[in-house]
């Protein structure tokens, strides 16, 4: 991965278990689960050879040959589950009232995406809420779960 001026930013290498690792990415991208071989970044097309990827609010360059899979944000988020943490704010459908999460054993499907907001539907009842999953470049990745 390179800075915009093509100076090296970081190298994603495989550890002893064969998992991709780069400590410079931890906490600065959408999701970083090297033990599951998952590194997820926001991206936009740059040119034939490179994709721009967001790391900590700045755009870096990643060679397209090193990209395993690419999908649009809506489809990616709708393939995940949301599991809240105590104290998270869930907003009503009109986003005017707030419900604070009091127990963290709930799981939601992500049924819609609008910018920094995801629309949630509870798995065990018909309740729907909005949650702000991203605030500028800070992503609440510990709440987004893979199947």
């Amino acid at each position: 991965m390179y800075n915009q001026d093509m100076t090296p930013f970081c190298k994603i290498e495989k550890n002893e278990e064969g998992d991709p690792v780069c400590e410079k990415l931890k906490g600065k991208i959408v999701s970083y689960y090297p033990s599951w071989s998952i590194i997820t970044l926001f991206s936009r097309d740059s040119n034939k050879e490179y994709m721009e990827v967001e790391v900590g609010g700045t755009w870096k360059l990643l060679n397209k040959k090193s990209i395993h899979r690419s999908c649009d944000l809506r489809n990616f988020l709708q393939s995940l589950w949301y599991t809240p943490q105590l104290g998270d704010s869930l907003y009503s459908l009109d986003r005017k009232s707030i419900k604070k999460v009091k127990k963290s054993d709930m799981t939601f499907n992500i049924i819609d995406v609008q910018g920094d907001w995801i629309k949630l539907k509870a798995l065990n009842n018909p309740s729907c809420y909005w949650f702000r999953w991203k605030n500028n470049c800070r992503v609440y990745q510990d709440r987004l779960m893979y199947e």
Side-chain angles (χ1 to χ4, degrees), residues 63-93:
N63 190 305
K64 288 182 179 179
K65 291 178 185 174
S66 64
I67 298 172
H68 174 70
R69 184 179 138 219
S70 176
C71 69
D72 68 62
L73 183 60
R74 178 179 299 280
N75 288 336
F76 168 71
L77 287 172
Q78 288 179 329
S79 74
L80 305 176
W81 293 330
Y82 165 77
T83 56
Q85 292 187 356
L86 295 177
D88 278 359
S89 296
L90 300 178
Y91 292 79
S92 61
L93 293 180

Side-chain angles (χ1 to χ4, degrees), residues 91-106:
Y91 292 79
S92 61
L93 293 180
D94 62 7
R95 297 187 200 164
K96 291 183 179 177
S97 62
I98 299 172
K99 174 184 175 181
K100 291 286 186 181
V101 173
K102 295 180 181 167
K103 59 181 185 174
S104 61
D105 62 347
M106 303 173 354

Side-chain angles (χ1 to χ4, degrees), residues 33-126:
Y33 299 103
S35 61
W36 291 2
S37 295
I38 295 172
I39 296 176
T40 308
L41 307 117
F42 290 121
S43 65
R44 61 186 182 199
D45 212 16
S46 180
N47 60 43
K48 291 192 323 190
E49 195 174 350
Y50 290 93
M51 178 78 67
E52 286 187 295
V53 294
E54 188 178 19
V55 178
T58 62
W59 291 96
K60 307 295 181 189
L61 297 171
L62 182 63
N63 190 305
K64 288 182 179 179
K65 291 178 185 174
S66 64
I67 298 172
H68 174 70
R69 184 179 138 219
S70 176
C71 69
D72 68 62
L73 183 60
R74 178 179 299 280
N75 288 336
F76 168 71
L77 287 172
Q78 288 179 329
S79 74
L80 305 176
W81 293 330
Y82 165 77
T83 56
Q85 292 187 356
L86 295 177
D88 278 359
S89 296
L90 300 178
Y91 292 79
S92 61
L93 293 180
D94 62 7
R95 297 187 200 164
K96 291 183 179 177
S97 62
I98 299 172
K99 174 184 175 181
K100 291 286 186 181
V101 173
K102 295 180 181 167
K103 59 181 185 174
S104 61
D105 62 347
M106 303 173 354
T107 302
F108 295 87
N109 285 323
I110 298 170
I111 59 173
D112 194 10
V113 180
Q114 292 182 7
D116 291 357
W117 295 86
I118 52 177
K119 187 176 182 182
L120 309 169
K121 182 180 178 313
L123 292 180
N124 53 359
N125 67 51

Side-chain angles (χ1 to χ4, degrees), residues 3-14:
N3 295 305
Q4 290 288 328
D5 63 3
M6 292 306 291
T7 57
F9 171 70
C10 75
K11 187 171 185 176
I12 300 172
E13 299 182 302
K14 294 198 182 266

